[in-house]
Amino acid sequence: TTASDHEKLLYLRKYLNLIDCLDFSLTAYKKSMCKLESRYGGPDRIYVSIHEEIRDFRQLNSRSVQELDRLLYLLESTIVRLKDLKMAEELGPPALYQNIIRKMGRGLILDWDRYCEDHEKQKGIVQLKLWIEREINLQSGAAGASFQKVDPSFTNRQRTYYVRGGKTEVYERSKGQ
């Protein structure tokens, strides 16, 4: 069922104190919607809010699944809003990407760089999101299904083998990270 303009205005007034129109007319409803759009919407305001959200994002304290989930939510939100704004070019490695990278710990950044280099991946927000999803899956889904083995040919490297559905994934990193 669709609500009448009068019902919509009552709903807006109930939840938003900034609506200060005096009557319940269609004009009042449209004026209220314009006020909301100018305050919370519009492409410029949404773009600014993306930058603000990234700026206000607390730097990751660890590599825990909870911390990576926080970053994943930021990345997903950023991707969806930039695509809605038809600003897909911002998903590559300009300022937004660099600001997100600064929110990651040094070890995570090094692993991300190594992953991109080893797998010949181009850096960007979408690829970073996919990698963070992979890291979360490796941490949460592989509990109890992994084993570590030191490769004698690389004494400063450690490989972790994850076994899933008959398939083995290898995750390699420097010792001490």
Side-chain angles (χ1 to χ4, degrees):
T1 62
T2 59
S4 69
D5 290 334
H6 176 76
E7 290 169 325
K8 291 177 184 176
L9 181 60
L10 288 174
Y11 182 84
L12 285 173
R13 281 188 179 189
K14 181 178 176 184
Y15 292 103
L16 301 170
N17 292 329
L18 68 102
I19 307 298
D20 58 358
C21 300
L22 299 175
D23 59 0
F24 292 96
S25 67
L26 177 60
T27 305
Y29 171 72
K30 289 182 178 178
K31 183 177 177 185
S32 299
M33 291 306 293
C34 286
K35 190 181 281 190
L36 287 171
E37 182 69 27
S38 69
R39 183 164 182 172
Y40 297 108
D44 294 338
R45 179 65 189 120
I46 293 169
Y47 187 72
V48 167
S49 76
I50 292 169
H51 280 274
E52 289 171 353
E53 185 178 359
I54 292 169
R55 183 197 66 218
D56 295 342
F57 185 81
R58 196 178 74 245
Q59 186 161 0
L60 297 182
N61 296 324
S62 68
R63 290 181 80 117
S64 70
V65 172
Q66 293 80 13
E67 288 286 287
L68 293 176
D69 269 337
R70 267 191 337 108
L71 179 59
L72 182 61
Y73 177 79
L74 174 71
L75 293 169
E76 288 173 339
S77 168
T78 301
I79 290 167
V80 167
R81 290 187 290 164
L82 286 174
K83 285 184 177 179
D84 284 348
L85 293 174
K86 297 183 180 18
M87 299 180 87
E89 70 277 358
E90 289 286 332
L91 295 172
L96 272 179
Y97 169 78
Q98 292 301 324
N99 290 336
I100 290 171
I101 290 295
R102 287 187 194 111
K103 301 296 183 170
M104 296 166 46
R106 189 176 190 313
L108 198 59
I109 294 171
L110 291 173
D111 286 349
W112 163 240
D113 288 340
R114 187 176 304 117
Y115 173 81
C116 289
E117 187 177 307
D118 291 349
H119 294 87
E120 298 177 2
K121 300 288 185 182
Q122 194 165 11
K123 293 179 182 179
I125 295 173
V126 174
Q127 193 60 44
L128 178 60
K129 176 197 157 288
L130 295 173
W131 182 73
I132 293 294
E133 285 175 339
R134 178 180 175 271
E135 289 295 303
I136 290 171
N137 287 336
L138 287 174
Q139 282 190 33
S140 60
S146 67
F147 59 93
Q148 294 182 351
K149 177 173 136 183
V150 176
D151 188 333
S153 60
F154 297 103
T155 54
N156 65 337
R157 308 286 287 171
Q158 177 177 319
R159 288 186 176 163
T160 304
Y161 298 86
Y162 296 95
V163 181
R164 288 190 196 162
K167 200 166 121 182
T168 303
E169 295 179 12
V170 179
Y171 185 71
E172 184 175 287
R173 63 188 300 164
S174 296
K175 283 186 180 178
Q177 281 188 327

